[in-house]
Amino acid sequence: MATETEKITPTDLHTGLTTAQVKERNQQGQRNIAPKPLTRSIGQILRENIVTLFNIINIVLGILIVSTGSYKNLLFLLVVVVNTVIGTFQEIRAKRQVDKVSLLAQHPTTVFRDGQAQPIDQEAIVRDDLIQLTRGDAVPVDGIVRATAGIEVDESQITGESRPIRKNTGDSITSGSYLVSGNATVQVTAVGSASFVHKLAREAKQEKKNNNSQLLNTINQIIRFITYALVPLGLLLFLRSWQHGRTLNYSILRTSAAMVGMIPEGLVLLTSVALAVGAMNLGKRRVLVRSLTAIEALARVDILCLDKTGTITTGKLSVTQLKAFAGQTTDQVRAWLTNAVYTIGDDNQTATALKQYLTKPQQLPAASRVTPFSSSRKWSGAAFAAGSVLLGAPEFMFKSLPADISQEITTAAKNGFRIIAVAHSNTVMTDDEIPADLQLVGLVYIADELRKEAVGTFDYLRAQGVTIKVISGDNPLTVANVAGRAGIPHADAAIDMSTVGEQADFDDLVARYTVFGRVTPTQKRSLVQAYQRADHTVGMTGDGVNDILALRESNCAIVMAGGSEAAQEIADFVLLDADFDAMIFVLNEGRRVINNIERVASLFLVKTIYSIALSLISVIFSLEYPFIPIQLTPISALTVGIPTFFLALQPDYRPIARKFYENVMITAAPGALSVVFYALLMSWMRGLLGLNMDTTGTLTVLLTGLVGFTALAAVSQPFDRLKILLISVLVAAFACIFLFPVGQSFFSLVSIWDTGSLLLWIPLAVSVPLLFIILRNVLSDYVLPKIAWR
């Protein structure tokens, strides 16, 4: 520590750096690095959407098709290009909206320059700057404490040590940590990449243990399987066709059709677009999304843990009364309280309310020690020459109190007041331990107003299957009173967590209680973990340093703007207007995105599954693959490509009740099996009735398209005018291909309007929805539930 101090030239605490000194350091490159943007760059979006494995395979297939001279079979590439262009445009549009909102959420750092305190962006910090940090601030750079009355710093992301570390003047402080209590002036010793833990701090801020996406992981598993199957199956199909006397061009076209069918064109892109558009929509409501995967996590939340202050209540605290005890006058207690509050210098909501109630004295007595408020300690204090003054939660300051005072505190808490104890000791504190002769001399009554929208918001969340739990540092009786007024069910099931310790049976506690009071930061984290062990998806809301451990542990962290910088940096969502009512829109947007992705994934996978199945059957049983690329193009475009872009943006706020695989396969499996059935039926009827291959191929395309529209209708429910119009237009476009010679010729089809063909395909067309429904019911009732989905 001493050697660190010797290496730097102390910056004048009265003036800070001058403008000329800041300019000199900027020229020398001693400037901090800007925070990593939350979104991908436009270049990354273009590169990741265009340069994909499937696009490369499509291009290779296109080159092979060109070699056959059948250029119209390249039309499938147009579908790929249009999907990519539309999706990329949407994602870039969403990026710009999110970036705009991100600028509003950036937390400036206060520096002391030219004798004045001024807010600047983090990337404008230079070496030797004097930065001012308060409780809840994240430390953006390495430095040395130059002035403080006493601070405590959480360095758990750096050292793994969960206990706050006290820092005094001359001690070093590291980027990636944050202030748990107190405030300080820090001189910057290292910026940007020169910071000792720059890389570690960046990773630690962004890491979130439970932020894995079940949806994206599942889609990636599907893509991985398709990737493994695609090339080997294509080669086997090509060799089988060529070895059975087919021409090279014929083999290339049939193999290309199979491989094009296997590729779920646009599924990954559409997933990214849906998530990005979700983030954009939230941004328009002034909700900053820091992680796209968190949109999915929020959609699955079924337990929402709230801190009382700032969520159920507005956080606008006001002192209503000061009572004196132990023979002291109110004026004497007020004087002790005033000296302590203004000497300690805390800036939390309670301290702010006390400062508004008290008048700052012109001169404060000298303090030999200051203990700032900490969420784990639940009290703060200052030592003066005549003794020490402490203020905080009575339960944490006194092991026992007289019966009349205990009753006074209990009654006040039941009426919804936050009670702050004022205590005096003749002992001059030299450490952060409570003096043995501490005496209660007063109680401060603090009121907090209920949010107007709280009752309606909680009613809506409850109706949507989200259970509300309240986890607060306040007295459990106070919290239960406020929770009951807000309409939270079972608010009377409250427990004082100061009576159970850190090693309690948290699994039993979460099963029995709704309101948890006097909770320490580590207990908050343990409660979140217990809900997760009970197979719940947990959302956590908060705004202070006491919430950070629980926020980081939760599946989805929601933070109110205006709270601590450290809490906002690890949040998945930041409510920029600190409006808890926005939670309704946030929850609905998450559900809309996930439900729509599941719905469109079904359509993509119908084609993928039947293409793989027909390829395997063709290889094993030496059958002809029923399609060429041009014939799959209208099926892909009209039953998948076009409708999925509309469906992905539809309102759908149903709770996420089942897992992704089941949701997808309930439509994809019967659709794919129906196509396989009709393709094999046509192959069998060609031999039985002596039909030519062009006729059976046309009928197979027709029936496959009808299966696609049946699946589309299944995932489009419930219907509205827009969906009915969309499906009607697409079906009409599909019918025109078979009605007019130009459509038949272009898509390599033949007329099926003669009497024999009509008698064959009309009954089959009528059977499509019936077969789909039968297969769907059988699979959903007897097959899919028995599969051990991962």
Side-chain angles (χ1 to χ4, degrees):
M1 222 104 60
T3 57
E4 179 91 40
T5 307
E6 291 168 4
K7 289 179 183 178
I8 69 166
T9 301
T11 301
D12 191 321
L13 287 174
H14 298 290
T15 62
L17 293 179
T18 65
T19 300
Q21 289 173 320
V22 172
K23 183 177 180 181
E24 179 186 356
R25 282 160 176 75
N26 276 319
Q27 291 172 344
Q28 294 172 350
Q30 296 179 342
R31 179 174 176 169
N32 200 31
I33 294 175
K36 184 179 178 181
L38 300 175
T39 58
R40 298 182 297 171
S41 68
I42 291 178
Q44 286 176 311
I45 292 173
L46 291 171
R47 185 168 56 253
E48 293 176 21
N49 288 346
I50 295 172
V51 185
T52 68
L53 174 63
F54 288 154
N55 281 349
I56 292 171
I57 292 174
N58 279 325
I59 291 171
V60 171
L61 292 176
I63 293 171
L64 291 173
I65 291 171
V66 167
S67 71
T68 69
S70 181
Y71 301 117
K72 67 181 182 181
N73 279 290
L74 293 171
L75 188 60
F76 77 94
L77 288 177
L78 179 62
V79 177
V80 175
V81 171
V82 170
N83 278 348
T84 302
V85 169
I86 294 174
T88 303
F89 170 78
Q90 284 276 41
E91 195 169 350
I92 291 173
R93 178 168 166 259
K95 167 198 163 48
R96 286 175 173 161
Q97 174 65 36
V98 173
D99 286 347
K100 188 188 301 181
V101 175
S102 300
L103 287 174
L104 298 175
Q106 283 185 1
H107 209 292
T109 300
T110 301
V111 299
F112 200 67
R113 292 177 179 174
D114 294 318
Q116 293 184 338
Q118 49 187 285
I120 63 171
D121 294 332
Q122 286 188 12
E123 63 264 34
I125 298 172
V126 299
R127 182 182 167 89
D128 294 324
D129 252 331
L130 295 179
I131 62 175
Q132 297 178 344
L133 301 175
T134 61
R135 178 177 183 262
D137 283 347
V139 182
V141 288
D142 292 352
I144 287 181
V145 180
R146 290 291 311 281
T148 184
I151 58 172
E152 290 175 311
V153 178
D154 186 310
E155 295 185 343
S156 58
Q157 295 193 74
I158 310 301
T159 64
E161 172 58 54
S162 60
R163 294 181 60 185
I165 299 169
R166 189 177 181 93
K167 300 279 186 178
N168 297 304
T169 302
D171 289 345
S172 63
I173 191 167
T174 312
S175 56
S177 57
Y178 62 90
L179 270 63
V180 175
S181 65
N183 53 71
T185 298
V186 173
Q187 180 169 340
V188 178
T189 59
V191 291
S193 58
S195 178
F196 179 69
V197 288
H198 173 73
K199 182 178 179 181
L200 178 62
R202 291 292 179 192
E203 292 175 353
K205 287 177 183 177
Q206 293 174 7
E207 177 186 1
K208 198 150 186 304
K209 177 179 173 183
N210 297 302
N211 220 13
N212 294 323
S213 168
Q214 177 184 330
L215 177 70
L216 294 180
N217 288 344
T218 304
I219 289 176
N220 287 333
Q221 286 176 354
I222 294 170
I223 298 302
R224 198 176 302 119
F225 170 78
I226 294 169
T227 303
Y228 291 148
L230 189 63
V231 176
L233 261 180
L235 288 173
L236 287 173
L237 190 62
F238 173 77
L239 292 173
R240 186 213 62 80
S241 177
W242 201 14
Q243 288 173 354
H244 282 72
R246 294 297 183 180
T247 65
L248 180 62
N249 288 352
Y250 181 95
S251 300
I252 288 175
L253 290 177
R254 297 285 164 170
T255 303
S256 297
M259 296 183 72
V260 167
M262 292 181 212
I263 298 173
E265 299 161 345
L267 176 56
V268 176
L269 175 62
L270 205 61
T271 301
S272 299
V273 170
L275 291 169
V277 170
M280 179 183 71
N281 290 339
L282 290 170
K284 290 178 179 177
R285 295 294 186 101
R286 294 181 57 78
V287 177
L288 174 62
V289 181
R290 290 193 180 274
S291 166
L292 291 183
T293 57
I295 294 177
E296 176 190 357
L298 181 63
R300 301 183 190 280
V301 162
D302 59 350
I303 292 284
L304 184 61
C305 299
L306 310 176
D307 188 10
K308 173 181 74 69
T309 306
T311 51
I312 305 176
T313 61
T314 63
K316 297 177 182 176
L317 306 182
S318 59
V319 176
T320 62
Q321 189 178 8
L322 171 63
K323 281 191 175 183
F325 295 93
Q328 303 294 333
T329 66
T330 302
D331 289 342
Q332 178 60 64
V333 175
R334 185 189 299 272
W336 279 332
L337 177 62
T338 300
N339 289 338
V341 167
Y342 282 100
T343 298
I344 296 166
D346 280 331
D347 62 351
N348 54 48
Q349 291 162 323
T350 301
T352 300
L354 289 170
K355 289 175 183 176
Q356 290 173 346
Y357 176 72
L358 303 166
T359 302
K360 184 177 182 179
Q362 293 183 349
Q363 187 173 359
L364 289 169
S368 59
R369 184 177 183 84
V370 169
T371 300
F373 178 81
S374 127
S375 301
S376 55
R377 194 168 38 239
K378 304 289 186 190
W379 60 269
S380 58
F384 305 101
S388 302
V389 180
L390 280 69
L391 55 147
E395 306 94 307
F396 283 76
M397 295 166 60
F398 299 96
K399 293 182 179 178
S400 62
L401 288 168
D404 58 331
I405 295 179
S406 294
Q407 183 59 44
E408 175 97 13
I409 294 171
T410 300
T411 301
K414 284 182 178 179
N415 290 326
F417 289 101
R418 176 183 294 185
I419 300 299
I420 303 297
V422 184
H424 183 267
S425 167
N426 292 321
T427 302
V428 179
M429 290 192 306
T430 57
D431 55 28
D432 294 336
E433 298 298 324
I434 294 176
D437 64 339
L438 191 69
Q439 184 180 35
L440 179 75
V441 295
L443 293 176
V444 181
Y445 288 64
I446 298 179
D448 194 357
E449 66 176 343
L450 192 70
R451 282 186 178 273
K452 294 179 181 178
E453 67 275 9
V455 175
T457 301
F458 295 141
D459 283 345
Y460 180 84
L461 292 174
R462 183 172 65 252
Q464 293 298 309
V466 179
T467 302
I468 306 295
K469 304 291 182 178
V470 186
I471 303 177
S472 173
D474 280 354
N475 186 302
L477 297 176
T478 303
V479 181
N481 173 278
V482 173
R485 286 161 50 204
I488 295 175
H490 313 298
D492 55 338
I495 182 171
D496 186 340
M497 294 297 290
S498 66
T499 64
V500 302
E502 303 289 342
Q503 304 301 320
D505 184 352
F506 286 91
D507 294 325
D508 177 63
L509 293 175
V510 298
R512 294 169 56 194
Y513 297 101
T514 297
V515 172
F516 303 85
R518 294 299 183 214
V519 187
T520 65
T522 53
Q523 286 177 329
K524 283 192 177 186
R525 177 176 60 188
S526 296
L527 289 169
V528 170
Q529 291 171 332
Y531 282 120
Q532 289 170 337
R533 285 195 296 272
D535 201 27
H536 292 291
T537 302
V538 182
M540 176 74 198
T541 70
D543 60 0
V545 293
N546 57 322
D547 302 313
I548 287 174
L549 295 178
L551 288 167
R552 186 180 292 120
E553 193 66 31
S554 68
N555 300 94
C556 184
I558 304 116
V559 172
M560 303 289 180
S564 79
E565 179 188 356
Q568 289 187 50
E569 287 203 359
I570 66 163
D572 297 309
F573 299 92
V574 180
L575 307 184
L576 296 179
D577 290 332
D579 179 9
F580 187 69
D581 193 36
M583 277 298 301
I584 293 177
F585 183 80
V586 175
L587 176 71
N588 283 341
E589 188 63 19
R591 289 181 171 178
R592 185 193 68 76
V593 170
I594 303 310
N595 284 329
N596 286 337
I597 290 175
E598 288 183 349
R599 150 193 330 251
V600 300
S602 301
L603 299 179
F604 282 105
L605 294 181
V606 168
K607 182 168 68 77
T608 296
I609 294 171
Y610 75 64
S611 296
I612 292 174
L614 289 173
S615 298
L616 282 170
I617 291 170
S618 298
V619 170
I620 295 171
F621 298 104
S622 297
L623 297 177
E624 298 291 345
Y625 191 79
F627 307 109
I628 58 176
I630 190 63
Q631 293 172 336
L632 280 178
T633 300
I635 296 172
S636 299
L638 299 176
T639 70
V640 182
I642 294 173
T644 53
F645 269 104
F646 286 93
L647 293 177
L649 304 177
Q650 287 292 299
D652 186 351
Y653 308 131
R654 295 168 299 152
I656 310 298
R658 299 187 349 165
K659 295 181 180 179
F660 180 80
Y661 276 121
E662 289 94 325
N663 283 342
V664 169
M665 295 306 292
I666 199 69
T667 298
L673 288 176
S674 296
V675 172
V676 172
F677 170 78
Y678 287 116
L680 293 177
L681 180 64
M682 287 298 100
S683 178
W684 175 74
M685 293 183 76
R686 183 170 68 245
L688 180 68
L689 302 178
L691 300 173
N692 62 55
M693 192 167 179
D694 289 336
T695 300
T696 56
T698 300
L699 292 176
T700 305
V701 171
L702 172 66
L703 294 170
T704 300
L706 293 177
V707 170
F709 284 117
T710 304
L712 174 59
V715 302
S716 297
Q717 297 181 41
F719 291 116
D720 57 29
R721 290 181 179 178
L722 177 62
K723 291 177 186 175
I724 293 172
L725 177 62
L726 174 66
I727 295 174
S728 299
V729 170
L730 294 174
V731 170
F734 188 70
C736 287
I737 294 171
F738 295 87
L739 283 171
F740 300 106
V742 64
Q744 298 166 10
S745 173
F746 184 79
F747 290 103
S748 297
L749 304 172
V750 297
S751 175
I752 51 173
W753 299 102
D754 58 280
T755 304
S757 296
L758 286 170
L759 292 174
L760 181 61
W761 70 259
I762 289 178
L764 290 175
V766 172
S767 73
V768 168
L770 297 176
L771 178 62
F772 181 89
I773 292 170
I774 292 170
L775 287 173
R776 196 180 199 200
N777 289 338
V778 170
L779 289 169
S780 62
D781 292 341
Y782 303 105
V783 179
L784 296 179
K786 296 180 181 179
I787 298 176
W789 303 102
R790 290 194 307 148

